[in-house]
Amino acid sequence: MLLGGLRYLLPVIKAAHKQGYYVITADYLPNNIAHQYADEYCNVSIVDKEAVLKEAERLQIDGIMSFACDPGVIAASYVQNKLGLPSFGPFESVEILQNKDRFRSFLQKNGFNVPLAKGFDSIDAAMEEKYWYPWPVIVKPTDAAGSKGVTRVDKVEDLGPALEYAMAHSISGHIIVEEFIEKQGCSSDTDSMSIDGKLVFTSYCAQRFDLNATNPYTPAAYSWPSTFTKEQEDYLTSEIQRLITLLGLKTVVYNIETRIGTNGKPYIMELTPRGGGNRLCEMLHYATGVDMITAITRAIVGDPIEPIEQKPYNGHWAEIILHADKSGVFDHLEISNDLPAEIVEQDLWVKKGDIVESFEGANNAIGTLVLRFETAEELEHAITHQSDWLRVIVI
């Protein structure tokens, strides 16, 4: 059973079918694209863990996960543990990872580098404690994904609207206010994998943003390798392994966000037991040949998997998250022949005449470009000067 129904599930369904598995997709939106490719669709709210458990028992499933779908991770772990299926690890550990407030507290308790932060269950409570906020701060829901509901706040006068925005996107009605960690270079948001609690593949990328987007905190591109030094990556890998061990996690594909602060400290910002959205596992398969999707698909039903090992990047890779600068009607995509890269894949999800929205969250993406460059310099110039070679025409 795969929780969710967005297009990021399609490679997982394909991998499962290649193994001969029967795939059931589940959410409360029957028109989501992934359901067209599954063998069966189950209409259930994936944030209702008891309802998902009831359906899993009825369907007699052999495994369950929520891949590239953050809202379903809690329910997937709950069902795994309740039914004795192959699991990510203890349900209590997954609950910690899926709640930004509890995760920050856990990191602090165990001596990790962590920003100052506090969670709240009301806007009034958050406003009452503004005296301690280390401006600037980031305000966000504790349980939302895709950068929805996230705002940077530089002064107290702007706090109220940011709290309201975050609360509107929270599933549970909880928000967090935390110190904004100014970063060196680019932050990283990419996927990694552990097998039986041992980190066997770790990746770091350069996460890029469109500062002119409606939400400038929604990732607009990724590139590999990262802007981190080897020493910084080694430190983070060691700390990620320590975190996995402390939480008793097992065989898992993780989406991990990290950054290096201007204070020189490396931070684990988020670690969640699911593949990331934006096709990150697919990108790593292109760049390294490591197939985490097939591995986790087999592991989650208890089948043996081929060894996963660390491999270098075959060139310099970038993924562009195609998006519109404004809401309107999509007309066409323009890519200049001057782009000094191999276009490995162009995946456009809209057609001429479709209504598109401005880029407020990951759900507003309209496609992806997979690019391979020969040099880091060519990649850096192209990705920081996208308007020179890429245009999304909206009328």
Side-chain angles (χ1 to χ4, degrees), residues 15 21 27 56 106 150 181 292 329 344 363:
Y21 302 151
D27 66 11
F106 184 88
V150 178
I181 302 297
M292 290 184 284
V329 178
V344 177
N363 57 309

Side-chain angles (χ1 to χ4, degrees), residues 218-231:
T218 301
Y222 304 83
S223 63
W224 293 263
S226 74
T227 60
F228 300 166
T229 66
K230 183 181 184 303
E231 291 73 21

Side-chain angles (χ1 to χ4, degrees), residues 64-310:
I64 182 172
M65 69 174 171
S66 188
F67 189 97
C69 180
D70 212 55
V73 171
I74 290 287
S77 176
Y78 183 72
V79 172
Q80 289 169 357
N81 282 273
K82 281 289 186 179
L83 298 186
L85 300 173
S87 74
F88 305 140
F91 176 63
E92 295 77 11
S93 294
V94 173
E95 283 190 305
I96 289 170
L97 293 173
Q98 290 304 111
N99 183 289
K100 292 178 175 62
D101 187 17
R102 292 183 64 185
F103 182 55
R104 292 286 182 265
S105 297
F106 184 88
L107 292 176
Q108 184 177 37
K109 178 182 176 182
N110 287 281
F112 292 86
N113 295 330
V114 61
L116 296 171
K118 188 169 183 179
F120 302 95
D121 59 9
S122 76
I123 293 172
D124 288 344
M127 290 296 290
E128 287 174 3
E129 296 208 25
K130 59 182 179 291
Y131 60 86
W132 70 267
Y133 297 160
W135 308 102
V137 295
I138 282 284
V139 179
K140 52 191 173 183
T142 61
D143 52 6
S147 304
K148 293 184 286 291
V150 178
T151 308
R152 169 176 163 157
V153 182
D154 290 274
K155 55 184 185 297
V156 69
E157 291 82 3
D158 297 331
L159 183 61
L163 294 169
E164 291 174 4
Y165 180 52
M167 188 65 80
H169 286 84
S170 174
I171 297 169
S172 62
H174 286 77
I175 54 181
I176 187 170
V177 179
E178 71 178 35
E179 173 187 11
F180 181 77
I181 302 297
E182 297 282 359
K183 64 182 184 293
Q184 290 181 16
C186 293
S187 53
S188 172
D189 173 11
T190 183
D191 291 353
S192 300
M193 187 173 186
S194 66
I195 296 178
D196 296 328
K198 180 182 178 182
L199 200 56
V200 292
F201 180 82
T202 315
S203 68
Y204 300 95
C205 74
Q207 185 185 45
R208 317 287 183 137
F209 300 90
D210 180 351
L211 299 181
N212 296 315
T214 303
N215 182 353
Y217 300 105
T218 301
Y222 304 83
S223 63
W224 293 263
S226 74
T227 60
F228 300 166
T229 66
K230 183 181 184 303
E231 291 73 21
Q232 290 166 340
E233 289 189 355
D234 288 347
Y235 177 87
L236 283 166
T237 299
S238 174
E239 287 290 85
I240 291 166
Q241 179 64 72
R242 183 164 74 93
L243 179 60
I244 289 169
T245 302
L246 285 169
L247 290 170
L249 300 173
K250 300 177 183 177
T251 299
V252 189
V253 169
Y254 308 91
N255 180 241
I256 306 175
E257 295 184 31
T258 53
R259 68 174 49 192
I260 310 300
T262 52
N263 57 12
K265 293 182 180 180
Y267 292 84
I268 303 172
M269 304 300 293
E270 307 284 348
L271 183 146
T272 186
R274 60 168 176 84
N278 287 331
R279 308 182 62 198
L280 298 175
C281 270
E282 292 174 82
M283 285 298 305
L284 289 161
H285 193 190
Y286 274 128
T288 68
V290 174
D291 185 0
M292 290 184 284
I293 291 178
T294 296
I296 195 61
T297 303
R298 291 183 60 83
I300 215 67
V301 297
D303 282 347
I305 63 178
E306 294 293 325
I308 296 289
E309 58 187 31
Q310 197 72 39

